[in-house]
Amino acid sequence: MSTTKIRTRYAPSPTGKMHVGNLRSALYEFLIAKHEDGVFMLRIEDTDQERFVEGATEIIYRTLELTGLKHDEGPDKDGGYGPYVQSERMKTGIYMKYAKELIEKGEAYYCFCDKERLESLKTQVDEDGKTVTMYDKHCLSLSKEEVEANLAAGKPFVIRQNIPNEGSTTFHDELYGDITVDNVEMDDMILIKTDGYPTYNFANVVDDHTMNITHVVRGNEYLSSSPKYQRLYDAFGWESPVYVHLPLITDENHKKLSKRSGHSSFEDLIEQGFIAEAVVNYIALLGWSPEDNREIFTLDELIRDFDYHRISKSPAVFDMGKLRWMNGEYIKAMDFEPFYERALPYIREVITAPLDLKHIAETVKSRIETFADIPEMIDFFQAVPDDYDTEMYTHKKMKTDAATSLKVLTDTLPILEEQSDYSNDALYQTLSAYVEREGVKTGYVMWPLRTALSGKAVTPAGATEIMEVIGKEETLKRIRAAIEKLS
Ligand code: GLU
């Protein structure tokens, strides 16, 4: 066994939100490192200047912070392998230096072909009807003198990888095993672009090697390019890292997660009232499973139990219902104060009356799955909707209907007018006495009262608890209004 310290990296491109797939890669990289007491590094891959989005780097930092995936090294934490931002690495000349080394070895070459010429190569069509542009190695035949003359004349150029037209290349992935591709299938990909920036394809190899990365976890969209990367490692005589390419995450309809489905990014989920710990827990299970059937894991437990050999190759289905359930479990387990702090804006969305907001928060804590469930669940504390259906008074099991309800409300109104103690317990006692006198079931009385007080069939609190929250005056007002509605 090697004694090398595990070093993993999360290498996002600052192109917008943090997608669930990216977060999963980050999480698995983090877990692999932390499981072995290794180093988890952040590298910003900003070489594609056209895709750069203002503010996206901040989102990356914020997400890592919120999810608890603390990096040990990164642009803000020097660990001796910097710079940690690719555009800054470029300025050190590192990519050009290695590209030139490849040219020396015959593994790469300058290409001066212009757009028009490249366009004219687009003649091949693959089975999906898409044009395949395979570069025809035109510039490989330029003599050293021709190349030098072009460079001296300041002709724009790219540097391409030189992949032979015969033989094959094999590359190993921990999940997918050995993958062999015929070299003729592989395009001479660009390593250095006209603007001098390296492509991802080149930079990922140079950086992973020079930053001593031991394990790379990334989406399997990179699987098909990996043989080309392997050729680069081999050309340099470098040992490649352990690769773990992760299966696609799909929605319930087995389609790729999309923005429209609302669960494509971490920010979307947080905005929808999910909590970071639950999202992390859920995402850990998108492709990985522990030896037992446990589902709820703290980050520390994940660090302890995570084993990348147990990642599955089959596509992971993002099940919103499951995440909602898990989030509900996390909310139940939260301490009240932090729960209340997070719930407050959602409560304030619908409650402006001077009510005991803490009490209202208590009523929903064990009932919601996401914080966004709160407003709809509690809006009746603010006001009863005028137009609720009186059909709601009819409840088979409670043996109630509009007529019995009218009687109960009319009977209990003076009792509730008399009552001065509007605590839940006192109200319950008083109403229980009425239940007993009448010789009816509790629900026969409480159902109509709760309907009158809420205009809803489902509430997070029973009739007397609602009375306690809204107080005497409002209680009586609502019951009188219900009597009028039923009369
Ligand atoms: N910058 C790449 C991305 O965000 C990183 C892929 C990788 O992890 O190598 O997709």
Side-chain angles (χ1 to χ4, degrees), residues 214-354:
T214 59
H215 293 67
V216 168
V217 179
R218 62 186 171 206
N220 68 6
E221 66 269 27
Y222 292 100
L223 200 55
S224 62
S225 306
S226 292
K228 296 182 197 171
Y229 309 154
Q230 186 60 50
R231 293 193 62 82
L232 293 175
Y233 279 100
D234 293 345
F236 285 119
W238 296 341
E239 195 187 329
S240 56
V242 171
Y243 280 112
V244 182
H245 285 88
L246 301 175
L248 194 70
I249 304 176
T250 73
D251 65 13
E252 289 92 335
N253 303 318
H254 305 284
K255 296 249 161 63
K256 211 177 150 191
L257 285 194
S258 71
K259 279 205 180 104
R260 223 175 320 137
S261 56
H263 41 21
S264 65
S265 84
F266 178 73
E267 292 76 48
D268 288 344
L269 294 170
I270 296 301
E271 238 164 69
Q272 288 166 44
F274 288 96
I275 58 180
E277 290 91 335
V279 174
V280 169
N281 186 158
Y282 182 69
I283 286 180
L285 300 174
L286 279 178
W288 172 79
S289 56
E291 272 176 57
D292 52 19
N293 295 326
R294 275 181 63 203
E295 290 184 309
I296 304 285
F297 289 87
T298 62
L299 195 53
D300 282 339
E301 288 165 344
L302 285 172
I303 291 173
R304 190 193 59 206
D305 295 348
F306 189 78
D307 173 2
Y308 67 82
H309 298 100
R310 294 188 57 84
I311 296 173
S312 155
K313 259 192 305 193
S314 33
V317 179
F318 193 106
D319 178 346
M320 202 55 159
K322 183 83 182 268
L323 172 61
R324 287 183 60 87
W325 164 80
M326 192 172 275
N327 202 63
E329 294 302 302
Y330 271 82
I331 291 177
K332 278 184 208 135
M334 270 175 107
D335 284 337
F336 184 73
E337 278 310 320
F339 164 77
Y340 181 55
E341 203 176 299
R342 179 90 198 263
L344 205 50
Y346 294 92
I347 297 176
R348 291 217 168 104
E349 255 177 48
V350 288
I351 308 287
T352 52

